Amino acid sequence: DAGVIQSPRHEVTEMGQEVTLRCKPISGHNSLFWYRQTMMRGLELLIYFNNNVPIDDSGMPEDRFSAKMPNASFSTLKIQPSEPRDSAVYFCASSLVPTSGVGNEQFFGPGTRLTVL
Amino acid sequence: AQKVTQAQTEISVVEKEDVTLDCVYETRDTTYYLFWYKQPPSGELVFLIRRNSFDEQNEISGRYSWNFQKSTSSFNFTITASQVVDSAVYFCALGRGGYQKVTFGIGTKLQVIP
């Protein structure tokens, strides 16, 4: 079975450019998460979706960041305009949440290493 | 508020030694979930275990074992007879019952020296 798929794996861009990160969750999973990992701040949850609906976006740093999940098999995280401080590894994760809503483990993609020059 | 403390930032052990990674959590919830993840040098995050708050039974999986103690709010992870392939950053995480948001600790970097 395919795991969580992220693209691109590496992205190098210049300050001010728009960056779009993509994620395909595990088929059948109904929750999707975007995380950012840096040395200084560790692993931070940016936003998560349940059944394609954004549930908690309190971790999104600022208006330059936006995320969408148009269907159950695809999500994007966009940064516009990008800044050097956005350089980090961005992970997408998915999980299957039963109707009872109990916590379940998240399965992570390989990450996208973003460098903003 | 949810909080996960991994006090050990880095640990180095010689191959075949046992090592325990500590995890202390804080929560006001009565139902919660604890997780351990492994991040090897290649960078991906690998799920290792989930433990529910109502199940304090310890678990063993090969060389890995986990000790969950609600009385001390700890969920420690022991690797027996460590191997070089165990070298990674290990994250402890806490999830709330009924929610999917998970709080991660800062991670413990384990280096196993041959």
Side-chain angles (χ1 to χ4, degrees):
Chain A
D1 289 340
V4 176
I5 299 172
Q6 290 187 248
S7 64
R9 294 293 307 275
H10 301 272
E11 177 80 28
V12 180
T13 190
E14 292 187 347
M15 184 174 61
Q17 296 298 306
E18 177 180 295
V19 175
T20 299
L21 310 181
R22 296 173 176 80
C23 176
K24 177 179 170 55
I26 293 173
S27 178
H29 281 190
N30 55 7
S31 288
L32 183 139
F33 308 79
W34 282 101
Y35 290 89
R36 178 173 66 178
Q37 186 178 36
T38 60
M39 288 293 293
M40 292 296 294
R41 301 174 69 90
L43 200 58
E44 304 173 274
L45 176 66
L46 300 177
I47 185 171
Y48 80 91
F49 296 84
N50 185 248
N51 293 322
N52 313 337
V53 176
I55 303 299
D56 186 340
D57 64 354
S58 58
M60 296 286 264
E62 47 198 272
D63 292 345
R64 298 185 298 106
F65 285 69
S66 63
K68 293 182 179 180
M69 191 164 186
N71 57 63
S73 60
F74 184 65
S75 177
T76 59
L77 177 67
K78 186 176 293 186
I79 308 172
Q80 166 64 16
S82 58
E83 297 182 3
R85 60 191 168 121
D86 301 330
S87 297
V89 179
Y90 291 81
F91 287 101
C92 176
S94 71
S95 70
L96 175 60
V97 180
T99 52
S100 60
V102 295
N104 246 346
E105 55 271 22
Q106 298 172 18
F107 294 90
F108 284 75
T112 295
R113 182 173 295 277
L114 173 64
T115 303
V116 183
L117 303 175
Chain B
Q2 308 271 99
K3 186 178 179 182
V4 176
T5 301
Q6 294 181 258
Q8 306 148 306
T9 306
E10 291 191 37
I11 302 176
S12 288
V13 299
V14 177
E15 197 171 23
K16 297 184 182 178
E17 287 185 349
D18 299 347
V19 58
T20 295
L21 310 182
D22 297 333
C23 174
V24 174
Y25 62 92
E26 295 178 30
T27 180
R28 293 180 181 177
D29 295 335
T30 55
T31 300
Y32 52 90
Y33 304 85
L34 294 160
F35 308 85
W36 276 96
Y37 285 84
K38 174 182 179 180
Q39 187 174 38
S42 53
E44 73 274 23
L45 277 148
V46 179
F47 165 75
L48 296 178
I49 189 172
R50 179 188 74 168
R51 177 59 71 214
N52 305 329
S53 56
F54 45 85
D55 180 6
E56 283 193 77
Q57 191 172 17
N58 292 329
E59 181 151 342
I60 298 174
S61 175
R63 296 184 298 106
Y64 294 172
S65 62
W66 290 269
N67 184 346
F68 177 29
Q69 291 196 344
K70 291 179 73 171
S71 60
T72 56
S73 297
S74 64
F75 186 41
N76 296 338
F77 174 27
T78 297
I79 302 174
T80 303
S82 60
Q83 299 177 3
V84 173
V85 294
D86 296 327
S87 297
V89 179
Y90 291 87
F91 292 92
C92 181
L94 170 65
R96 301 182 66 186
Y99 295 85
Q100 289 303 300
K101 192 171 182 176
V102 172
T103 301
F104 282 81
I106 63 170
T108 296
K109 184 176 182 180
L110 172 66
Q111 184 177 14
V112 181
I113 304 166

